[in-house]
Amino acid sequence: MSVNPRKAAIIGCGSVGASIAFRFLQLGLFSQLVLLDANRDKAEGEAMDLSDGLPYGASMEITAGTYDDVADCALVVITAGANQKPGETRLDLIGKNIAILKSILEQITARDFGGILLIVSNPVDVLTYAAWRLTGYPRSRVLGSGTVLDTGRLKQLLGDKLGVDSRNVHAFIIGEHGDSELAVWSGANVSGVDLEDFCRLRGDGLGHKELEELYEQVRDSAYEIIRRKGATYYGIAMAVGRIAQCIVRDEHGVLPVSAVLQGEYGLKGLALSVPAVVDRGGLEEILEIPLSQEERWALTASAHQMEQAIACLDLPGEKK
Ligand SMILES: NC(=O)c1ccc[n+]([C@@H]2O[C@H](COP(=O)([O-])OP(=O)(O)OC[C@H]3O[C@@H](n4cnc5c(N)ncnc54)[C@H](O)[C@@H]3O)[C@@H](O)[C@H]2O)c1
């Protein structure tokens, strides 16, 4: 079936799915947005509520739909599944969410779907890899939101600390979107000025201890938000909006999405969040950015965590 470049679907209309739908409405990226949820009333209610905002936003059609409506979408965002409860890790969700993912992908692969799958449900890297294996689609068409959110958190905290606009801060969180993620300090810069030099310019140093504290704040951010309000959804909605922009507008944006690795960084048989060029076709290329020896070790350790989680899944063989 031919792909409608202005049509998207969101599967799972809980806090995250509904927030992403709201972000899509604000961005005016699509002409048609289809919402699906195991609870049909929820999808219908969200479509009705969002549609009320159309006169003050973009021109688009927002409906609660079925899997037949998903077949010609350019982008399908999957947010269905359990979220973390206070104290739970993302990897703790694997049992529940792999079953949900499988049931959704059975429906999608039964149709002639030619668009891009963007996995948001957690543990996002494990589910992205599973989605690639379960669908047999090329890896370019199966992405996870990865550490785009975490990278935004790092930029925001660093910007605050340095007293500059977070949009001028360039630094990546890579690895698992979860407890084993790492900050790539070696490449961090502010508008092209190396982080250390920039701190000197501002007359303010950031020592190893402060950097470590910033990293811990990023890594533990979801736990802190969930402890206070029960779930996280606005930050991820902004992050997914940015990924969708890169896809719909063919922007070739560089984002740390979760992607299936096939030898990059010496890793394969898993998906991990690393900087990549994202365009109309999804994943254009994974970028192997320079890493310090310490960062390389941390990335390998994060990859081992993913491999262990994947080993527990019952997945079909890799397509040659
Ligand atoms: N990747 C990220 O950065 C990130 C950030 C925040 C949350 N998340 C994840 O997003 C997921 C959703 O979180 P939430 O807070 O919206 O949860 P939620 O409980 O509010 O919503 C989940 C929704 O999924 C629906 N659902 C369940 N099974 C389904 C199925 N088979 N088909 C269609 N819909 C189904 C439920 O009815 C519910 O409406 C969680 O896994 C959470 O951990 C990811």
Side-chain angles (χ1 to χ4, degrees), residues 206-225:
L206 276 180
H208 180 79
K209 189 168 164 280
E210 274 168 302
L211 293 182
E212 191 56 28
E213 279 169 10
L214 275 179
Y215 158 73
E216 284 169 8
Q217 254 182 288
V218 171
R219 186 197 57 198
D220 300 339
S221 173
Y223 293 112
E224 291 299 322
I225 298 170

Side-chain angles (χ1 to χ4, degrees), residues 14-16 37-38 79-83 97 100 120 122 145 149 177 232 236:
S15 308
V16 173
D37 196 284
T79 72
N83 58 12
N97 287 352
I100 291 174
V120 178
N122 276 317
S145 55
L149 170 61
H177 165 64
T232 71
I236 183 62

